[in-house]
Amino acid sequence: TQSTWEKKKSVWRHMSGKPVDQDILALRSSLVTSKNDDYDEITCPICHDIFLNPVELQCCSHAVCAACVPPTCHDCGALSPASQPHSLLPQLINEMVTLSCPKAKSGQCSWVGTVGLLTQHLQECDFVTIECPSSGCSITTARGMMSAHLRECPYRLLACEHCHEQIAFSLLQTHMNEQCGKIPVPCPSGCGQSVPRCALEAHDRDECPNRLVSCCAEQCAVRVRHSELLEHLSQQPAQHILLMAQQLRQLQEKHVPPEPKLAFLLEVCERHQTEIQDLNRRFAEQQERVEQMQLLINQLMSAPPRLTRRPPSP
């Protein structure tokens, strides 16, 4: 079980911020600056020190410190006696006792006041030792020096300039290099764009011009970069149109009603197929004419030249 003195130390830690210097854990009576030596009325019968947060035991009306309530009353034997804040002792203690700051012993603090104000003073005193409030930091220093420590504490929180999340200074670089979803990172496919890390997957899937895509014709097994898809289709337009037309007909044969867009594409493919056939026919006709003209030129080149007489001069 926790000793009475350990209980009183925990109360002092709560009053002054944790942890506290060992001299602050000294008996309160050592801080008394008033001349009155008769403190029986304001002394706890358990710890024999000046009352700290005095309470009244409801079983026998005796007064003890809040941290000194015994598991069994020494007078009536009541188990776990109930208690309530004492109504008169706090005022009496303030009238009888004047205390100095625990740091007065080392010549650091000159504060002097009543017991009732000591708790408030310990929560403000620049010479009281406190823990760094940064999570993970074990440094303790005087309250007045804490602001200087916080400017250099590796565990101090800083806002990420990209996602504005509060990150410990020692982890900020790792956060930005590996974790922050808002920081721009270059596209791994080498398209030259920088996108937020959280949008990188969507960019690579839907937007990157260097992403690999399949040909529009399912029977064409070629995969090319998205930026090169039109060039791929233009290299063999007739073949791709026939493949897409065949693909659409297969959908119709499976009794899958084509959507308006599919019907439009089918019509365009058939129209282009007709135009390609017409172009092929015209090309064949032109090629035949070229061959005929070439034959005529060859005949003219092989015929002997004709001699013509010059008319007599007058």
Side-chain angles (χ1 to χ4, degrees), residues 161-230:
E161 60 180 303
H162 299 284
C163 67
H164 307 295
E165 184 179 351
Q166 296 291 321
I167 305 294
F169 175 77
S170 58
L171 302 176
L172 186 59
Q173 196 62 43
T174 301
H175 167 78
M176 297 180 65
N177 292 340
E178 303 175 6
Q179 301 169 354
C180 181
K182 299 295 184 180
I183 189 171
V185 295
C187 173
S189 298
C191 71
Q193 299 185 37
S194 293
V195 296
R197 181 180 282 119
C198 62
L200 195 59
E201 182 178 351
H203 167 78
D204 186 60
R205 183 184 64 244
D206 304 326
E207 301 174 359
C208 180
N210 287 348
R211 69 186 186 275
L212 292 179
V213 295
S214 300
C215 179
C216 300
E218 290 184 355
Q219 297 182 4
C220 180
V222 176
R223 286 177 60 83
V224 296
R225 292 182 175 183
H226 184 268
S227 59
E228 300 172 352
L229 181 60
L230 293 178

XYZ file of all heavy atoms in Angstrom, residues 161-230:
535
model
N 4.013 21.828 -43.900
C 3.626 22.910 -44.798
C 2.717 22.439 -45.929
O 2.093 23.260 -46.608
C 4.858 23.557 -45.401
C 5.730 22.611 -46.218
C 6.944 23.298 -46.788
O 6.769 24.295 -47.505
O 8.088 22.864 -46.488
N 2.585 21.124 -46.106
C 1.757 20.611 -47.193
C 0.392 20.137 -46.695
O -0.635 20.519 -47.245
C 2.480 19.470 -47.913
C 3.774 19.883 -48.529
N 3.849 20.604 -49.696
C 5.058 19.708 -48.114
C 5.118 20.832 -49.998
N 5.874 20.301 -49.052
N 0.380 19.301 -45.635
C -0.894 18.772 -45.129
C -1.343 19.447 -43.842
O -2.448 19.196 -43.364
C -0.792 17.267 -44.901
S 0.347 16.785 -43.565
N -0.476 20.287 -43.246
C -0.763 21.053 -42.031
C -0.987 20.169 -40.806
O -1.505 20.635 -39.785
C -1.983 21.962 -42.237
C -1.877 22.841 -43.451
N -0.926 23.838 -43.556
C -2.580 22.861 -44.616
C -1.057 24.441 -44.731
N -2.039 23.861 -45.401
N -0.596 18.914 -40.863
C -0.679 18.036 -39.693
C 0.449 18.367 -38.726
O 1.556 18.705 -39.142
C -0.589 16.578 -40.133
C -0.757 15.576 -39.006
C -0.690 14.147 -39.486
O -0.682 13.934 -40.719
O -0.624 13.228 -38.629
N 0.160 18.283 -37.405
C 1.162 18.554 -36.385
C 2.074 17.336 -36.241
O 1.623 16.256 -35.872
C 0.486 18.885 -35.049
C -0.351 20.161 -35.065
C 0.508 21.403 -35.188
O 1.591 21.494 -34.600
N 0.027 22.383 -35.948
N 3.370 17.534 -36.527
C 4.339 16.442 -36.517
C 5.515 16.834 -35.628
O 5.941 17.994 -35.627
C 4.851 16.133 -37.935
C 3.677 15.852 -38.885
C 5.817 14.965 -37.929
C 2.899 14.610 -38.558
N 6.049 15.871 -34.859
C 7.246 16.126 -34.062
C 8.408 16.498 -34.985
O 8.570 15.922 -36.062
C 7.602 14.896 -33.231
N 9.209 17.465 -34.546
C 10.305 17.967 -35.380
C 11.233 16.844 -35.821
O 11.680 16.811 -36.973
C 11.092 19.028 -34.612
C 12.312 19.523 -35.330
C 12.202 20.422 -36.369
C 13.572 19.073 -34.961
C 13.329 20.861 -37.045
C 14.701 19.517 -35.627
C 14.581 20.412 -36.671
N 11.520 15.899 -34.938
C 12.443 14.816 -35.265
C 11.868 13.866 -36.310
O 12.611 13.119 -36.947
C 12.797 14.027 -33.998
O 11.622 13.500 -33.389
N 10.545 13.865 -36.502
C 9.901 12.971 -37.461
C 9.418 13.700 -38.704
O 8.864 13.063 -39.615
C 8.706 12.266 -36.795
C 9.013 11.444 -35.535
C 7.717 10.894 -34.949
C 9.979 10.318 -35.841
N 9.613 15.022 -38.758
C 9.045 15.810 -39.851
C 9.643 15.425 -41.201
O 8.917 15.302 -42.196
C 9.258 17.301 -39.574
C 8.599 18.264 -40.558
C 7.095 18.052 -40.582
C 8.907 19.710 -40.182
N 10.964 15.220 -41.253
C 11.595 14.884 -42.531
C 11.119 13.528 -43.042
O 10.842 13.361 -44.240
C 13.123 14.886 -42.369
C 13.889 14.932 -43.693
C 13.600 16.188 -44.483
O 13.544 17.279 -43.929
N 13.403 16.040 -45.783
N 10.997 12.544 -42.134
C 10.480 11.233 -42.534
C 9.040 11.341 -43.009
O 8.644 10.696 -43.990
C 10.575 10.253 -41.352
O 11.939 10.142 -40.939
C 10.047 8.880 -41.733
N 8.255 12.164 -42.321
C 6.864 12.368 -42.724
C 6.783 12.919 -44.138
O 5.978 12.456 -44.962
C 6.187 13.329 -41.737
C 4.869 13.853 -42.210
N 3.702 13.121 -42.163
C 4.535 15.066 -42.749
C 2.708 13.841 -42.659
N 3.186 15.012 -43.024
N 7.611 13.911 -44.457
C 7.562 14.538 -45.772
C 8.109 13.607 -46.857
O 7.615 13.595 -47.989
C 8.333 15.858 -45.747
C 7.741 16.893 -44.812
S 8.653 18.456 -44.791
C 8.391 19.030 -46.459
N 9.116 12.801 -46.514
C 9.723 11.928 -47.518
C 8.904 10.686 -47.807
O 8.954 10.156 -48.927
C 11.130 11.502 -47.074
C 12.109 12.657 -47.074
O 11.878 13.673 -47.724
N 13.206 12.509 -46.342
N 8.132 10.197 -46.820
C 7.489 8.896 -46.984
C 5.987 8.891 -46.730
O 5.291 8.019 -47.273
C 8.156 7.875 -46.044
C 9.653 7.724 -46.243
C 10.275 6.802 -45.216
O 9.506 6.198 -44.434
O 11.517 6.675 -45.198
N 5.470 9.809 -45.917
C 4.108 9.649 -45.435
C 3.133 10.724 -45.911
O 1.951 10.427 -46.130
C 4.116 9.626 -43.899
C 4.970 8.514 -43.315
C 5.188 8.653 -41.827
O 4.785 9.645 -41.218
N 5.847 7.675 -41.220
N 3.576 11.955 -46.033
C 2.653 13.062 -46.338
C 1.949 12.816 -47.672
O 2.592 12.644 -48.708
C 3.405 14.392 -46.376
S 2.323 15.813 -46.731
N 0.623 12.819 -47.655
C -0.139 12.572 -48.874
C -0.314 13.791 -49.748
O -0.714 13.674 -50.911
N -0.023 14.980 -49.220
C -0.240 16.209 -49.971
C 1.008 16.719 -50.674
O 0.909 17.583 -51.548
C -0.763 17.299 -49.027
C -2.093 16.972 -48.356
C -3.207 16.871 -49.374
C -4.555 16.635 -48.675
N -5.662 16.522 -49.651
N 2.173 16.226 -50.326
C 3.399 16.743 -50.908
C 3.502 16.314 -52.369
O 3.241 15.161 -52.715
C 4.624 16.256 -50.100
C 5.888 16.964 -50.566
C 4.793 14.758 -50.203
C 7.085 16.702 -49.672
N 3.858 17.222 -53.285
C 3.989 16.844 -54.703
C 5.200 15.942 -54.922
O 6.280 16.196 -54.395
C 4.162 18.201 -55.409
C 3.705 19.235 -54.427
C 4.005 18.674 -53.069
N 5.007 14.894 -55.690
C 6.084 13.974 -56.037
C 6.079 13.775 -57.551
O 5.034 13.835 -58.199
C 5.931 12.613 -55.316
C 6.083 12.769 -53.821
C 4.573 11.991 -55.630
N 7.245 13.554 -58.163
C 7.294 13.364 -59.620
C 6.645 12.049 -60.028
O 6.700 11.053 -59.307
C 8.798 13.367 -59.921
C 9.453 12.992 -58.635
C 8.586 13.550 -57.545
N 6.018 12.063 -61.190
C 5.370 10.860 -61.716
C 6.422 9.782 -61.956
O 7.429 10.035 -62.628
C 4.627 11.183 -63.005
S 3.956 9.730 -63.846
N 6.234 8.562 -61.448
C 7.240 7.502 -61.641
C 7.327 7.030 -63.083
O 8.315 6.389 -63.461
C 6.745 6.385 -60.712
C 5.282 6.622 -60.554
C 5.103 8.110 -60.606
N 6.322 7.347 -63.912
C 6.356 6.940 -65.314
C 7.120 7.925 -66.177
O 7.246 7.720 -67.388
C 4.929 6.768 -65.847
O 4.250 5.759 -65.139
N 7.596 9.033 -65.569
C 8.440 9.967 -66.299
C 7.703 10.900 -67.237
O 8.289 11.340 -68.235
N 6.437 11.227 -66.909
C 5.710 12.140 -67.790
C 6.070 13.596 -67.543
O 5.647 14.485 -68.286
C 4.202 11.948 -67.636
S 3.522 12.550 -66.067
N 6.832 13.874 -66.471
C 7.254 15.236 -66.175
C 6.336 15.985 -65.238
O 6.656 17.102 -64.824
N 5.197 15.418 -64.873
C 4.263 16.080 -63.968
C 4.571 15.703 -62.526
O 5.070 14.616 -62.246
C 2.821 15.700 -64.303
C 2.376 16.098 -65.692
C 0.901 15.798 -65.912
O 0.086 15.947 -65.009
N 0.564 15.363 -67.112
N 4.241 16.641 -61.603
C 4.313 16.386 -60.162
C 2.907 16.453 -59.596
O 2.197 17.440 -59.824
C 5.220 17.408 -59.475
O 6.562 17.236 -59.886
N 2.508 15.420 -58.894
C 1.159 15.334 -58.339
C 1.251 14.985 -56.863
O 2.257 14.430 -56.412
C 0.310 14.278 -59.080
C 0.092 14.668 -60.522
C 0.983 12.905 -59.011
N 0.223 15.325 -56.041
C 0.232 14.932 -54.633
C 0.378 13.418 -54.486
O -0.159 12.649 -55.293
C -1.123 15.423 -54.112
C -1.504 16.526 -55.039
C -0.948 16.144 -56.372
N 1.122 13.002 -53.463
C 1.383 11.579 -53.276
C 0.078 10.781 -53.170
O -0.004 9.658 -53.690
C 2.235 11.364 -52.024
C 2.581 9.901 -51.772
C 3.425 9.696 -50.525
N 4.822 10.026 -50.754
C 5.472 10.972 -50.110
N 4.848 11.697 -49.198
N 6.751 11.212 -50.356
N -0.943 11.348 -52.541
C -2.206 10.619 -52.375
C -2.944 10.439 -53.698
O -3.818 9.579 -53.808
C -3.104 11.334 -51.361
S -3.582 13.004 -51.856
N -2.630 11.276 -54.730
C -3.305 11.189 -56.021
C -2.448 10.492 -57.068
O -2.829 10.438 -58.243
C -3.686 12.596 -56.507
N -1.307 9.951 -56.653
C -0.374 9.370 -57.612
C -0.967 8.137 -58.291
O -0.808 7.950 -59.508
C 0.927 9.003 -56.893
C 2.137 8.709 -57.783
C 2.458 9.913 -58.658
C 3.343 8.350 -56.931
N -1.671 7.305 -57.542
C -2.250 6.092 -58.118
C -3.306 6.429 -59.161
O -3.338 5.837 -60.249
C -2.846 5.227 -57.009
C -3.442 3.916 -57.497
C -3.984 3.061 -56.367
O -3.747 3.419 -55.193
O -4.642 2.038 -56.658
N -4.183 7.411 -58.832
C -5.211 7.816 -59.788
C -4.591 8.453 -61.026
O -5.067 8.247 -62.149
C -6.186 8.783 -59.122
N -3.525 9.233 -60.834
C -2.844 9.851 -61.975
C -2.260 8.784 -62.894
O -2.407 8.866 -64.121
C -1.737 10.779 -61.471
C -0.776 11.219 -62.542
N -1.086 12.209 -63.444
C 0.477 10.786 -62.860
C -0.061 12.369 -64.282
N 0.885 11.527 -63.932
N -1.614 7.785 -62.309
C -0.998 6.729 -63.109
C -2.052 5.885 -63.819
O -1.802 5.349 -64.895
C -0.130 5.849 -62.202
C 0.662 4.824 -62.994
O 1.463 5.239 -63.845
O 0.466 3.622 -62.770
N -3.239 5.791 -63.243
C -4.289 4.959 -63.830
C -5.109 5.704 -64.881
O -5.499 5.119 -65.904
C -5.220 4.459 -62.719
C -6.318 3.519 -63.209
C -7.262 3.143 -62.077
N -7.989 4.297 -61.576
C -7.871 4.779 -60.348
N -7.039 4.198 -59.490
N -8.571 5.826 -59.963
N -5.369 7.006 -64.662
C -6.334 7.707 -65.507
C -5.774 8.889 -66.297
O -6.383 9.276 -67.298
C -7.496 8.231 -64.632
C -8.165 7.121 -63.845
O -8.247 5.997 -64.372
O -8.594 7.375 -62.706
N -4.663 9.489 -65.859
C -4.259 10.753 -66.442
C -2.891 10.732 -67.116
O -2.660 11.500 -68.057
C -4.259 11.841 -65.356
C -5.605 12.045 -64.687
C -5.527 13.015 -63.529
O -4.406 13.504 -63.256
O -6.567 13.287 -62.907
N -1.977 9.933 -66.634
C -0.588 9.981 -67.120
C -0.523 9.659 -68.611
O -1.018 8.602 -69.049
C 0.276 9.002 -66.335
S 2.006 9.001 -66.879
N 0.071 10.530 -69.442
C 0.191 10.227 -70.870
C 1.131 9.068 -71.167
O 1.096 8.511 -72.258
C 0.724 11.543 -71.459
C 1.395 12.237 -70.324
C 0.626 11.858 -69.104
N 1.963 8.685 -70.186
C 2.890 7.571 -70.385
C 2.349 6.247 -69.858
O 3.069 5.246 -69.898
C 4.226 7.875 -69.707
C 5.029 8.921 -70.453
O 4.702 9.272 -71.587
N 6.073 9.436 -69.837
N 1.120 6.227 -69.373
C 0.571 4.972 -68.877
C 0.307 4.013 -70.038
O -0.035 4.435 -71.151
C -0.719 5.217 -68.090
C -1.899 5.682 -68.953
C -3.086 6.053 -68.077
N -4.286 6.365 -68.827
C -4.559 7.547 -69.342
N -3.698 8.544 -69.195
N -5.691 7.752 -70.002
N 0.495 2.734 -69.799
C 0.269 1.724 -70.824
C -1.213 1.420 -70.934
O -1.896 1.193 -69.923
C 1.052 0.452 -70.496
C 2.582 0.544 -70.584
C 3.218 -0.785 -70.207
C 3.025 0.965 -71.980
N -1.737 1.425 -72.164
C -3.147 1.117 -72.408
C -3.222 0.094 -73.528
O -2.307 -0.040 -74.353
C -3.935 2.392 -72.792
C -3.970 3.373 -71.641
C -3.330 3.056 -74.029
N -4.319 -0.640 -73.555
C -4.555 -1.624 -74.612
C -5.158 -0.932 -75.821
O -5.810 0.115 -75.714
C -5.483 -2.727 -74.121
O -4.912 -3.405 -73.013
N -4.950 -1.535 -76.961
C -5.550 -1.013 -78.192
C -7.066 -1.077 -78.083
O -7.636 -1.928 -77.399
C -5.058 -1.829 -79.380
S -5.746 -1.285 -80.963
N -7.746 -0.131 -78.788
C -9.220 -0.089 -78.743
C -9.834 -1.377 -79.269
O -10.927 -1.765 -78.836
C -9.727 1.102 -79.555
S -9.116 2.689 -78.953
N -9.155 -2.010 -80.182
C -9.629 -3.287 -80.710
C -9.143 -4.408 -79.806
O -7.944 -4.588 -79.613
C -9.139 -3.486 -82.139
N -10.092 -5.170 -79.247
C -9.717 -6.192 -78.283
C -8.831 -7.272 -78.898
O -7.980 -7.847 -78.225
C -10.970 -6.827 -77.689
C -11.756 -5.898 -76.772
C -12.921 -6.603 -76.135
O -13.159 -7.783 -76.481
O -13.602 -5.973 -75.300
N -9.028 -7.565 -80.179
C -8.251 -8.620 -80.812
C -6.831 -8.174 -81.157
O -6.009 -8.992 -81.541
C -8.971 -9.106 -82.078
C -10.324 -9.736 -81.771
C -11.007 -10.247 -83.027
O -10.443 -10.200 -84.110
N -12.225 -10.751 -82.878
N -6.570 -6.876 -81.000
C -5.210 -6.374 -81.178
C -4.518 -6.422 -79.821
O -4.915 -5.743 -78.873
C -5.216 -4.954 -81.721
S -3.562 -4.256 -81.957
N -3.494 -7.236 -79.702
C -2.862 -7.480 -78.403
C -1.810 -6.445 -78.048
O -1.135 -6.585 -77.020
C -2.232 -8.868 -78.392
N -1.676 -5.416 -78.840
C -0.625 -4.432 -78.611
C -0.997 -3.529 -77.436
O -2.146 -3.114 -77.293
C -0.389 -3.593 -79.881
C 0.642 -2.490 -79.619
C 0.084 -4.488 -81.015
N -0.014 -3.235 -76.571
C -0.162 -2.248 -75.493
C 0.855 -1.136 -75.734
O 2.046 -1.391 -75.908
C 0.069 -2.874 -74.115
C -1.077 -3.762 -73.657
C -0.768 -4.428 -72.327
N -0.532 -3.496 -71.267
C -1.485 -2.888 -70.539
N -2.764 -3.156 -70.796
N -1.171 -2.045 -69.566
N 0.351 0.090 -75.753
C 1.215 1.239 -76.039
C 0.953 2.322 -75.003
O -0.011 2.254 -74.231
C 0.940 1.799 -77.455
C 1.283 0.786 -78.515
C -0.518 2.247 -77.582
N 1.826 3.327 -74.982
C 1.572 4.487 -74.137
C 0.332 5.219 -74.615
O 0.042 5.248 -75.818
C 2.773 5.429 -74.151
C 4.009 4.876 -73.466
C 5.132 5.885 -73.492
N 6.294 5.416 -72.742
C 7.396 6.128 -72.565
N 7.485 7.343 -73.108
N 8.398 5.639 -71.873
N -0.377 5.821 -73.674
C -1.607 6.515 -74.034
C -1.349 7.629 -75.044
O -2.156 7.865 -75.955
C -2.263 7.101 -72.773
C -3.587 7.752 -73.037
N -3.706 9.096 -73.317
C -4.846 7.242 -73.073
C -4.966 9.390 -73.511
N -5.688 8.287 -73.362
N -0.209 8.306 -74.914
C 0.118 9.390 -75.838
C 0.435 8.891 -77.242
O 0.432 9.668 -78.196
C 1.303 10.191 -75.288
O 2.439 9.342 -75.118
N 0.713 7.573 -77.391
C 1.055 7.011 -78.685
C -0.079 6.182 -79.278
O 0.102 5.545 -80.327
C 2.307 6.136 -78.543
C 3.523 6.899 -78.030
C 4.690 5.988 -77.721
O 4.489 4.755 -77.760
O 5.793 6.491 -77.430
N -1.255 6.183 -78.628
C -2.358 5.343 -79.094
C -2.863 5.767 -80.469
O -3.097 4.930 -81.353
C -3.493 5.384 -78.066
C -4.726 4.534 -78.399
C -4.334 3.064 -78.539
C -5.796 4.701 -77.325
N -3.025 7.076 -80.696
C -3.520 7.552 -81.989
C -2.539 7.213 -83.106
O -2.940 6.850 -84.216
C -3.774 9.057 -81.927
C -4.927 9.502 -81.015
C -5.040 11.022 -81.012
C -6.237 8.865 -81.456
